[in-house]
Amino acid sequence: MEEESMEEEGGGEAMMDDQNHNNWGAGGYGRHLLGPATAAPLGDRLLRGPAGPPAGPLLPVEPEANGVLRSCDPAGAAGKGGPGAIAAAININASTSKFLMNVITIEDYKSTYWPKLDSAIDQLLTQSPGDYIPISYEQIYSCVYKCVCQQHSEQMYSDLIKKITNHLERVSKELQASPPDLYIERFNVALGQYMGALQSIVPLFIYMNKFYIETKLNRDLKDDLIKLFTEHVAEKHIYNLMPLLLEAQSTPFQITPSTMANIVKGLYTLRPEWVQMAPALFSKFIPNILPPAVESELQEYAAQDQKLQRELMQNGFTRGDQSRKRAGEELSYNGSSACASSRGYR
């Protein structure tokens, strides 16, 4: 009789307490913790994050007004629940319920998660090619994933843009203080270093890109970060840089060909319309910049080639050309008898 009266007082609903003595039951929280009947438990889906996304589509979760997480899948509990699903929520194990109570607040994000991301971004932005970066990519990936799942994408995107903008403004000031003879080389280093950093930063923030930038902003993270370099560095220096590039072009090997190629291709990537500032320069590294050749201008093309040859000779390339010519004559002489016999000459 006592057991029957206890069941009547409990309203016929099974309840369970977590470590904070919060009651979890079918009538309240339980209904909100369920995804589709075929989906894995929410706690398992979140805990698998750092090791990589599961085979099926993985969607972040967001907190409701009462602070409990629910799936972001629009075809989740509301559409595929039912009495069986509600009953399954009652049997949620204690470890999963404990995990679900660990909501990342905005204070947690600012004090714990963003500092880790901030430090990693700093190292990636300032690394030199071939440097070893002592950071855990898995840990950074996990931080980003958890923050997206806890609906901190907007704040994280804002912090990332602000962080990189401040870095690029410092880079721009350093370039402004560079002497002309070092200006081109330092711009090349800044451009290459930044583009190299993006190859690591963009993949680390892939979940934020997928579930916030692409979905809500209709943009792409890589495009946004390239635009930052264009606005805060390239646009401020293009009118100082271009005359130096044209001057270097007229003096062979004043800068290395690889440096010239990297800068010209990089400028074209940042802003293709900058081609109009120096079409002849860009056409040496970017195909199909100039109009197609026409027969009526063949004499002009030949004159340009002859002028280039004269300039090379004036800059000390005559001896090298003669050496190569002599080497070619010797090679031709040594193989002349064999070639003559093969061609039928006497």
Side-chain angles (χ1 to χ4, degrees):
M1 293 298 291
E2 291 180 0
E3 294 178 358
E4 293 179 358
S5 63
M6 291 176 64
E7 291 179 359
E8 292 176 358
E9 291 176 2
E13 295 186 3
M15 309 292 289
M16 59 186 295
D17 289 348
D18 64 8
Q19 60 178 356
N20 297 319
H21 303 289
N22 297 310
N23 290 327
W24 295 69
Y29 293 109
R31 285 194 297 267
H32 301 291
L33 299 175
L34 296 175
T38 58
L42 181 58
D44 293 341
R45 290 161 61 196
L46 289 173
L47 288 171
R48 284 203 307 264
L58 180 60
L59 297 176
V61 296
E62 59 184 2
E64 291 192 354
N66 54 22
V68 180
L69 303 176
R70 62 180 175 83
S71 173
C72 292
D73 187 353
K80 297 184 180 180
I86 296 175
I90 303 175
N91 297 323
I92 186 170
N93 58 63
S95 62
T96 303
S97 65
K98 178 181 178 180
F99 176 82
L100 292 173
M101 291 301 294
N102 293 331
V103 177
I104 300 175
T105 65
I106 188 63
E107 290 77 15
D108 295 333
Y109 165 81
K110 292 180 178 180
S111 63
T112 303
Y113 289 87
W114 175 248
K116 294 180 181 179
L117 299 176
D118 182 271
S119 176
I121 295 168
D122 248 338
Q123 296 182 65
L124 293 172
L125 288 173
T126 57
Q127 68 176 336
S128 299
D131 282 356
Y132 170 73
I133 305 298
I135 62 175
S136 170
Y137 286 87
E138 182 179 4
Q139 183 183 50
I140 302 305
Y141 178 90
S142 175
C143 286
V144 173
Y145 180 81
K146 291 176 181 178
C147 291
V148 171
C149 290
Q150 297 285 332
Q151 296 298 294
H152 296 301
S153 297
E154 182 176 0
Q155 183 65 50
M156 184 162 53
Y157 175 74
S158 175
D159 290 339
L160 176 64
I161 296 300
K162 183 178 179 180
K163 171 72 176 179
I164 294 182
T165 297
N166 292 337
H167 167 76
L168 292 177
E169 288 178 349
R170 290 194 300 270
V171 170
S172 181
K173 291 179 180 179
E174 292 174 359
L175 285 175
Q176 288 176 351
S178 299
D181 57 326
L182 299 177
Y183 192 91
I184 294 177
E185 188 63 40
R186 289 183 180 178
F187 185 91
N188 179 55
V189 170
L191 176 63
Q193 191 176 53
Y194 184 74
M195 291 302 179
L198 294 192
Q199 295 181 6
S200 297
I201 293 174
V202 172
L204 287 175
F205 287 84
I206 186 173
Y207 274 98
M208 182 183 71
N209 187 43
K210 183 176 182 61
F211 293 110
Y212 177 71
I213 301 175
E214 291 183 354
T215 304
K216 295 187 177 181
L217 303 182
N218 295 318
R219 298 201 303 266
D220 179 76
L221 177 60
K222 184 176 181 180
D223 294 340
D224 285 359
L225 298 184
I226 290 178
K227 184 179 179 181
L228 287 181
F229 188 91
T230 304
E231 293 177 348
H232 295 280
V233 179
E235 284 183 351
K236 295 180 179 180
H237 296 271
I238 187 65
Y239 295 104
N240 293 329
L241 179 66
M242 194 58 67
L244 293 175
L245 292 176
L246 293 173
E247 180 183 352
Q249 178 195 13
S250 63
T251 306
F253 300 103
Q254 179 176 334
I255 61 173
T256 62
S258 60
T259 297
M260 180 70 79
N262 290 339
I263 293 178
V264 171
K265 292 179 181 179
L267 292 176
Y268 183 76
T269 300
L270 298 176
R271 183 86 38 100
E273 53 266 32
W274 282 338
V275 168
Q276 304 304 321
M277 299 179 66
L281 174 62
F282 279 85
S283 66
K284 293 184 177 182
F285 305 96
I286 309 295
N288 303 321
I289 293 297
L290 296 177
V294 294
E295 185 177 356
S296 61
E297 297 180 357
L298 289 179
Q299 294 296 329
E300 183 180 349
Y301 301 148
Q304 292 176 357
D305 290 342
Q306 292 173 0
K307 179 182 178 182
L308 176 61
Q309 291 175 4
R310 288 194 300 269
E311 291 176 351
L312 291 174
M313 293 175 64
Q314 292 172 359
N315 284 276
F317 288 88
T318 304
R319 181 176 298 179
D321 292 342
Q322 292 177 349
S323 299
R324 287 192 292 272
K325 183 178 180 180
R326 286 196 299 269
E329 290 174 351
E330 292 176 359
L331 179 62
S332 175
Y333 176 79
N334 292 334
S336 60
S337 58
C339 292
S341 61
S342 64
R343 294 175 182 175
Y345 294 119
R346 296 291 182 271

